Structure formats: C-alpha cells, structure tokens
Amino acid sequence: MAVFSRFLLIFIPILAVALVFAAASPGPAPQTVKVPIGEPPADRVPTPAELAFEQQLAEIGSSISGEIGIAVIDVEARNAYDFNGDRLMPQQSVSKLWVAMAALAQVDAGDLDLSESVSIRRADLTLFYQPIRNVVRSRGSFSSDYGDLIERALASSDNTANDRVLRRIGGAEAVQNWLDGAGLGMIQFGADERTKQSAIAGLRWDQSYSYGDRFYRARDGVAPNLRREAFEGYLAEPIDGASALGIAHAMAQLARGELMSADSTWYMREILSRTRSGPRRLKGGLPPGWRIEHKTGTGQVFDGEQSGYNDVGLLIAPDGSEYGVAVLIGRTREPIPARMEMMQAVTRAVAAFHAVKPPAQRDSAT
C-alpha cells in the first residue's frame, strides 16, 4: 500500500535533497533519510477503514484530468494517506507559508519585531494580486509594520506584502535555509514573485510591469514558442516545487508546535483561520462543526492550461482532532468548478474517515 511504504519518506528529517531547476529532467532527486524515534513503524498493518480511505483519495484524485497530488496526515496518530503524494508540483502562493514561518522563526530568535515599521513604495510593488498597490498609487506610499504585512500576505495573498517580508528576512536563500533546517526537504521555496512569475511567462522582470496591465501586455508580446518553452520548463522543474506529502507533513508539524514557538504558532494559525481566498476549494466541503486553517495558490494560464491550482492547510474536527491536508493540481485544463468540487470531495472524505476511525485513534486526539 502506497501510504505505508512511504512512512520512511514522510515522517523523517530530510538530510539532503537535490533539485536542479535549470536542468530539463523532471522529478525529485534522490534523498537521504533516517527514521526518527517514536514515529509509526513502516510495517504497521492498515485497518480496513484506512485502506478504503486511501482508495477513496485515489478515486477523487483521478476524477479530473491533469497532474494531481493529494495528501492527508492525521496530526496526532501521524499516519499518512495519499494519492501521488510524493510528486513535486508548483506551489505558487502556497509558498507564502514558508516566508511567514521563516519570518516568525526570526521573531522567536529576536532578529525581527513584528511591530517594526515598514514603508511600501512604488519600487516595492510586484504583480498580480496586490491590494497595497491601490494605496501606493493614491498616496505615494503605504506605511505599516511587518506583522500587518505577514497577515496581508497570508490572509489576502498580497504579493507585494509577501515580497517585502521576504526581503526583510534575507531573501529566498534565508527561507530555503529555514525549510532545510526544519527538516522540510520535500519543499522548495524558489524565488520572489517578480522573478518567478516573469520567468514563467518567458520574461525578465521590469519594474514598469507593477502598474496597470503592462505585465500582461509584455507577456502577450512574447513569441508563443518562447512562452511554451518557459511554461513547460517551469512545470517540468518548478522552482517552487513541493510534494503534497511534504506540505501536509509541514502542516501537521505546525499543528503539533514543532516548527516555531507557541506564540508564533498561535499567531500563524490565527491568520490562516481568516484566509479569504479559496472559499469554494477545501473550505467549501466542510461539514457542520468542522473548521479550516489554510492557504491557496493559483498559477498562470497558458493556452488554456493552468500551472498550479492548490489549497493546503489544517482540517479541525468538532472533537479537536486535526488533519494536515494538501491538494495540489500541478497542471490541468479542467474547468474551475470541477477543480473546486474535487477539493471539496477531499474535505468530505477526511470527515467521513474521521467518523469511522478506531476509537483509540480518535480518543488520542481529544
């Protein structure tokens, strides 16, 4: 069974992971791993309910066309269930999670104060969704603090807020170093939004793209064969590639308080509970009494095909049990309602599985 053969892969500190983004060969590089003390044994016999649940995830993931990765991790029991869970796929704005966590780790270390003031000016603006731009355009600048920017980056997915936090904490390398140090080697951060999104479109960033429709006009001016080359290159080796299992594992660690201090964990989760994007993705399938803390990600479209359509987070049952969940659509031509329904089906499947879990497993989480 796929999930139990992968316990050695997911519930481990990653010692090394090598991804060559500039190369043309897709797929994850070999990894060196070790099994930590206290994790579920790889030879644990699955229950009939677990077998049925993983089969259901496979059916849900196969219900639409494209490249789909699904992973669910029982936070307390640490058991993992997946469909194509170890395949690297584009994260897009899901990667804002790691910027926020790396920033909060610096708060824990005393290297950043969330009340530190910051001013956003025209030179800081990025592209796509950035509500801060409207303020900068009308006033010339936007003054706030880093706590506010983190909330805007997560709850509203503001690209400019995210990139300004990223620059303050040391850039993409600092985020990747934090991921690696936390043992999250199945997650690659990549680059800031301006660099990443320009490259996907076959462009090199120009600050004039941050206003109006200039980015779209520049992108439309790229020769179709070059757009295709850039688009396919990104999908083959996504600079922000991550696996559904890797992300679900990270969310489970967040829930267990293993990634940051108790205060920073609470702060992060409070923001994720107020996420406004994706109300009809995972959140749309919540049964009565269930809650979600999540982050979405949505990539560019070329020739009718989307590069990344994601939702990840924590599903919380009425009894307090928690599940780390990641649903990644690496590429698809399916209509958006079909993608949303697939994600909602995952949420409903988790709730149904929780209802039939052995009592001992349910009791351990309350």
Side-chain angles (χ1 to χ4, degrees):
M1 178 180 169
V3 58
F4 297 102
S5 66
R6 292 191 184 114
F7 276 128
L8 289 175
L9 178 62
I10 277 305
F11 296 114
I12 51 169
I14 303 294
L15 296 181
V17 60
L19 294 173
V20 183
F21 291 110
S25 56
Q31 301 174 58
T32 302
V33 300
K34 68 177 181 179
V35 181
I37 297 173
E39 299 291 1
D43 58 353
R44 185 178 68 85
V45 178
T47 67
E50 289 176 305
L51 291 168
F53 178 50
E54 190 164 59
Q55 177 60 36
Q56 186 177 14
L57 293 182
E59 292 171 357
I60 293 170
S62 301
S63 66
I64 65 172
S65 61
E67 297 177 358
I68 318 298
I70 302 173
V72 177
I73 294 182
D74 185 324
V75 170
E76 183 70 17
R78 301 178 183 242
N79 298 329
Y81 314 90
D82 79 288
F83 169 73
N84 285 342
D86 55 3
R87 183 166 185 171
L88 295 178
M89 297 187 186
Q91 294 181 78
Q92 290 294 317
S93 284
V94 166
S95 65
K96 291 182 172 72
L97 287 169
W98 323 126
V99 175
M101 290 187 193
L104 291 172
Q106 290 193 12
V107 171
D108 293 340
D111 297 327
L112 173 66
D113 189 325
L114 292 178
S115 65
E116 179 182 324
S117 62
V118 57
S119 181
I120 303 293
R121 303 182 186 280
R122 180 165 182 159
D124 298 308
L125 297 178
T126 58
L127 72 172
F128 300 150
Y129 193 71
Q130 47 175 340
I132 284 177
R133 179 176 59 183
N134 296 330
V135 181
V136 173
R137 182 163 48 192
S138 63
R139 301 180 186 173
S141 66
F142 172 83
S143 297
S144 187
D145 58 47
Y146 282 99
D148 176 60
L149 292 188
I150 289 173
E151 171 137 11
R152 289 172 181 272
L154 292 176
S156 300
S157 208
D158 189 305
N159 285 333
T160 291
N162 181 75
D163 277 10
R164 189 64 186 85
V165 174
L166 176 64
R167 189 158 72 252
R168 170 61 178 82
I169 65 174
E173 182 178 1
V175 176
Q176 192 62 57
N177 287 341
W178 179 83
L179 284 164
D180 295 342
L184 302 177
M186 294 178 73
I187 299 171
Q188 296 294 311
F189 173 69
D192 60 69
E193 290 297 322
R194 294 186 284 197
T195 301
K196 177 172 63 180
Q197 301 301 344
S198 297
I200 294 171
L203 293 167
R204 179 168 294 184
W205 176 255
D206 185 292
Q207 192 57 30
S208 67
Y209 296 161
S210 65
Y211 263 70
D213 64 349
R214 293 176 185 175
F215 177 83
Y216 299 98
R217 287 192 282 118
R219 186 175 65 179
D220 290 344
V222 177
N225 64 310
L226 297 180
R227 280 285 312 274
R228 172 61 67 187
E229 182 180 356
F231 189 79
E232 293 295 338
Y234 169 65
L235 287 172
E237 287 285 351
I239 190 172
D240 60 344
S243 70
L245 277 168
I247 294 175
H249 175 43
M251 299 312 296
Q253 284 189 291
L254 175 68
R256 292 195 295 265
E258 296 172 356
L259 297 178
M260 299 174 293
S261 69
D263 286 346
S264 290
T265 298
W266 177 87
Y267 184 80
M268 180 86 178
R269 295 190 61 175
E270 275 292 297
I271 296 175
L272 293 179
S273 72
R274 299 193 298 274
T275 294
R276 291 187 285 275
S277 61
R280 294 177 58 196
R281 297 189 194 187
L282 289 172
K283 189 175 186 178
L286 286 176
W290 282 72
R291 295 182 292 111
I292 188 170
E293 299 165 8
H294 69 126
K295 181 73 193 77
T296 60
T298 307
Q300 294 185 51
V301 175
F302 175 65
D303 192 26
E305 190 170 33
Q306 185 121 39
S307 58
Y309 190 87
N310 311 319
D311 201 0
V312 311
L314 290 165
L315 295 177
I316 302 101
D319 66 4
S321 299
E322 298 176 311
Y323 297 85
V325 178
V327 181
L328 308 179
I329 304 178
R331 65 190 301 167
T332 189
R333 295 181 181 275
E334 290 279 356
I336 289 177
R339 307 175 204 174
M340 292 177 172
E341 172 55 33
M342 185 272 288
M343 291 180 171
Q344 293 172 22
V346 172
T347 299
R348 292 192 294 267
V350 171
F353 171 65
H354 177 72
V356 298
K357 276 200 321 185
Q361 290 187 26
R362 287 204 304 272
D363 293 345
S364 67
T366 58

